[in-house]
Structures are given as C-alpha cells and as structure tokens.
Amino acid sequence: MSQTVKQLLEDTVQKDWIDYNGHMTDSAYAIVFSMAVDRLMIELGITVDFRNQYHYSIYTLETHLVFIKEAHEGQGLRVTIQLLDYDAKRLHAFFVMENDKGDRLATSEQMLMGMDMNEGRPAPFPPSIKTRIENMANDYQSHPMPNEAGRKIGIRKKQ
C-alpha cells in the first residue's frame, strides 16, 4: 500500500452482506464505503461531540461505485482513501476496497459537502477541519490520479 493513501477501515464481509449469488451484494459495497466516510469524518475531527456542538457534518452529494472483484463471507476487507481535490466546502475523495490479499474489489469516487445542520445548507469547513483537510491533501500531492476516477457511465457505440 502506498504511503500517499490512508487506510480508514478494516472489517470482515458479514453473512448478511451476501446475496443469492453467493457474494457480497452491491448494497453492502455501498454500506462499507459509507462506513469509510464516517471514519473519514472522525479522522477530520467531525466526531459525535463536534457535530453536537457545532451542528456541522459532511453529506455525500454524489458517488460512483466500480465493482472489480467479488467479495465473499468471512473475507477480510480494508478501505483506503485518496483525497483528489477540495475547496472551501467540498471534498473529492477516492476510496479503494481491497481484500485481505491486497486485491482491489471495488472503488468509490465521491463528492462530499460540508453542511450546516441547523440551516440545512452547505457551509465552509470550520478552521480546525480545514487544516486537517489541507494536511491530508499535502500528503497526497504526488499520488497519481486513479484510473477509475472521473469515469462516466455510458454505452460505447461501435463505429
């Protein structure tokens, strides 16, 4: 694992995440990536106490999941993050899910937005959070853009 990505989550594929095909259901991949966003918020300092005190959180605006390989019950998982970009209110994050052998299982590219929970509106990151985001961004400066980032969905027409 590169030093320019940060591991956020380690877990095991749960029995109730398995579908009728015998592997992890697509909704379970989304759950795992959502758990990774929760861990990201904690890494940035947006804890339960912070949310209660400042009425500030991060919401997911958009996500793009790419399924690469099947995950099976009992298999170890880990999720890493690479911060691709940010501004005063938004984070463009790229998450990679790997199995315990280091095989890529899925990726999730996400646009996250800082939110004032009282107003229900986007709001700039508080100074302490912004500093942690800047530090995270500095850690990822030299890491190349992932191949799956920026992809669009469509059916290619034969010419």
Side-chain angles (χ1 to χ4, degrees):
M1 182 168 37
S2 169
Q3 293 177 334
T4 58
V5 295
K6 177 166 186 52
Q7 183 172 315
L8 287 176
L9 179 68
E10 197 165 340
D11 208 331
T12 303
V13 178
Q14 306 299 309
K15 182 178 183 173
D16 60 341
W17 294 353
I18 302 302
D19 66 12
Y20 42 82
N21 294 314
H23 54 77
M24 200 159 93
T25 182
D26 55 349
S27 62
Y29 285 85
I31 288 168
V32 172
F33 284 122
S34 181
M35 291 167 32
V37 171
D38 289 345
R39 294 282 175 92
L40 171 62
M41 287 196 293
I42 292 167
E43 289 282 327
L44 294 175
I46 304 173
T47 61
V48 172
D49 291 340
F50 184 92
R51 279 193 302 275
N52 290 337
Q53 182 177 356
Y54 296 101
H55 307 284
Y56 189 89
S57 190
I58 289 179
Y59 289 8
T60 303
L61 296 178
E62 184 175 345
T63 186
H64 186 169
L65 282 169
V66 175
F67 302 97
I68 300 168
K69 203 169 188 179
E70 295 174 357
H72 301 278
E73 184 180 347
Q75 189 173 41
L77 300 175
R78 72 173 173 231
V79 178
T80 59
I81 181 175
Q82 179 183 350
L83 185 60
L84 300 179
D85 200 3
Y86 70 98
D87 64 16
K89 301 176 193 175
R90 295 174 298 180
L91 299 173
H92 182 189
F94 191 82
F95 299 89
V96 175
M97 182 188 304
E98 297 177 335
N99 64 21
D100 46 11
K101 296 177 185 171
D103 299 323
R104 287 166 65 118
L105 301 175
T107 63
S108 179
E109 183 176 7
Q110 298 192 25
M111 186 64 68
L112 307 169
M113 174 75 79
M115 295 292 291
D116 179 323
M117 293 166 54
N118 283 334
E119 299 290 324
R121 300 184 51 81
F125 297 113
S128 64
I129 306 307
K130 183 179 178 198
T131 298
R132 288 182 177 164
I133 291 168
E134 289 168 345
N135 291 337
M136 184 180 279
N138 289 335
D139 290 344
Y140 303 150
Q141 258 176 272
S142 63
H143 199 68
M145 183 70 76
N147 289 336
E148 298 90 351
R151 291 173 57 171
K152 69 177 192 173
I153 296 174
I155 298 173
R156 294 187 186 141
K157 304 293 183 195
K158 294 183 180 181
Q159 304 223 357

